[in-house]
């Protein structure tokens, strides 16, 4: 009697539902990143179990936002990756090539030398945050997780948001079934989200991506001030001016 859509970032059915039911009306454009990740097996002497490295910027230019990570796991393995914000202007920029350059930085290269890559993959990241959330429900269904855009971009963390929205939608659906309902909009789900810790968490970091879109140095400074000094309680809300594809310049320019 209800269908819950949890396809992840840029879900094919979710996109069609947003258009059919006008779910994006009044919301900012959604913005995305492309994350590329590799799994490496490295010599024991270079392995530091539990070590986490996060980076911002390089090798991207100051007007293109993105960042990388390197996680030391168990058994001599580490995960290394880079996320490029897709709102860049240069049509010749290649997120894959930027990732390969990223691995040459001395802070990372020293761990990878002598190792071997054993797996790799990529995925898109839905990074618009609170301002880009569509209407979550429509007759007979709802959008969950990154199908709607519940990622906390400031912390590169979204699994908890997917789990929590799945729980909230399930609770709303169970209550509706107990009342003998079916096929209507589960209004209790977005209402429960607005009362949840997840809504508070996303509200506090709502300006992270809009600040970075203004440049890494200035945007990073302002975002840091907002988070460290104001604890995410700034009296203003910034907005995403345009969809990612609208920022891309023509190759001739």
């Amino acid at each position: 009697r209800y269908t819950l859509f949890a396809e992840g970032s840029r879900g094919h059915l979710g996109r069609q539902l947003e258009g059919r039911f006008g779910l994006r009306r009044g919301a900012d454009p959604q913005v995305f990143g492309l994350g590329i990740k590799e799994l490496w097996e490295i010599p024991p002497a270079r392995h530091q179990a539990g070590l986490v490295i996060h980076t911002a910027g390089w090798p991207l230019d100051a007007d293109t936002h993105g960042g990388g990570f390197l996680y030391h796991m168990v058994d001599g393995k580490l995960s290394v990756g880079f996320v490029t914000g897709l709102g860049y202007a240069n049509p010749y920029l290649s997120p894959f090539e930027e990732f390969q350059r990223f691995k040459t930085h001395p802070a990372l290269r020293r761990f990878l030398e002598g190792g071997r890559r054993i797996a790799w993959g990529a995925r898109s990241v839905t990074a618009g945050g609170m301002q880009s959330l569509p209407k979550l429900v429509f007759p007979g269904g709802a959008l969950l997780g990154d199908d709607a855009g519940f990622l906390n971009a400031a912390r590169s963390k979204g699994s908890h948001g997917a789990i929590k929205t799945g729980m909230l939608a399930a609770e709303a659906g169970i209550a509706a079934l107990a009342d003998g309902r079916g096929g209507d909009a589960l209004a209790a789900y977005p209402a429960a989200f607005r009362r949840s810790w997840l809504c508070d968490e996303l509200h506090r970091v709502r300006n992270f991506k809009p600040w970075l879109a203004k440049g890494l140095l200035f945007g990073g400074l302002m975002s840091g001030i907002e988070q460290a000094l104001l604890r995410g309680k700034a009296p203003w809300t910034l907005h995403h001016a345009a969809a990612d594809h609208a920022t891309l310049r023509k190759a001739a320019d």
Side-chain angles (χ1 to χ4, degrees), residues 190-248:
F193 164 68
R194 289 191 293 271
R195 297 190 300 268
S196 72
W197 54 260
L198 179 61
C199 182
D200 180 64
E201 177 183 317
L202 295 180
H203 180 76
R204 289 172 181 264
V205 299
R206 67 194 182 282
N207 292 328
F208 175 74
K209 278 293 183 181
W211 276 129
L212 288 187
K214 298 179 184 297
L216 177 63
L217 297 179
F218 175 74
L221 174 63
M222 294 303 298
S223 180
I225 291 173
E226 194 171 295
Q227 293 302 310
L229 298 182
L230 302 179
R231 305 291 182 184
K233 297 181 179 179
W236 54 79
T237 296
L238 305 180
H239 291 275
H240 304 289
D244 292 328
H245 65 83
T247 67
L248 196 66

Side-chain angles (χ1 to χ4, degrees), residues 42-132:
I42 63 173
R46 298 183 184 275
H47 188 257
Q48 300 179 35
L51 177 66
V52 169
I53 296 175
H54 281 153
T55 77
W58 192 88
L60 301 174
D61 61 65
D63 294 325
T64 305
H65 59 85
F69 59 86
L70 185 143
Y71 304 143
H72 285 250
M73 302 185 293
V74 296
D75 301 327
K77 295 182 177 62
L78 64 78
S79 171
V80 58
F82 195 83
V83 180
T84 303
L86 295 186
Y88 54 80
N90 179 5
Y92 293 105
L93 187 149
S94 163
F96 176 77
E97 296 295 344
E98 295 303 295
F99 173 43
Q100 301 311 313
R101 287 209 295 160
F102 170 69
K103 291 185 295 180
T104 68
H105 192 283
L108 309 174
R109 182 172 182 164
R110 63 192 179 97
F111 295 116
L112 300 174
E113 284 182 329
R116 67 187 187 101
R117 184 178 59 185
I118 59 177
W120 51 88
R123 62 157 294 179
S124 61
V125 177
T126 309
M130 285 289 288
Q131 298 91 311
S132 297

Side-chain angles (χ1 to χ4, degrees), residues 106-167:
L108 309 174
R109 182 172 182 164
R110 63 192 179 97
F111 295 116
L112 300 174
E113 284 182 329
R116 67 187 187 101
R117 184 178 59 185
I118 59 177
W120 51 88
R123 62 157 294 179
S124 61
V125 177
T126 309
M130 285 289 288
Q131 298 91 311
S132 297
L133 286 178
K135 184 180 178 183
L136 301 178
V137 295
F138 47 89
L143 300 178
L144 316 181
D146 262 2
D147 223 351
F150 285 104
L151 178 92
N152 181 336
R155 299 178 64 191
S156 301
K157 183 178 179 184
S159 297
H160 68 311
I163 293 169
K164 181 61 175 178
T165 53
M167 294 166 67

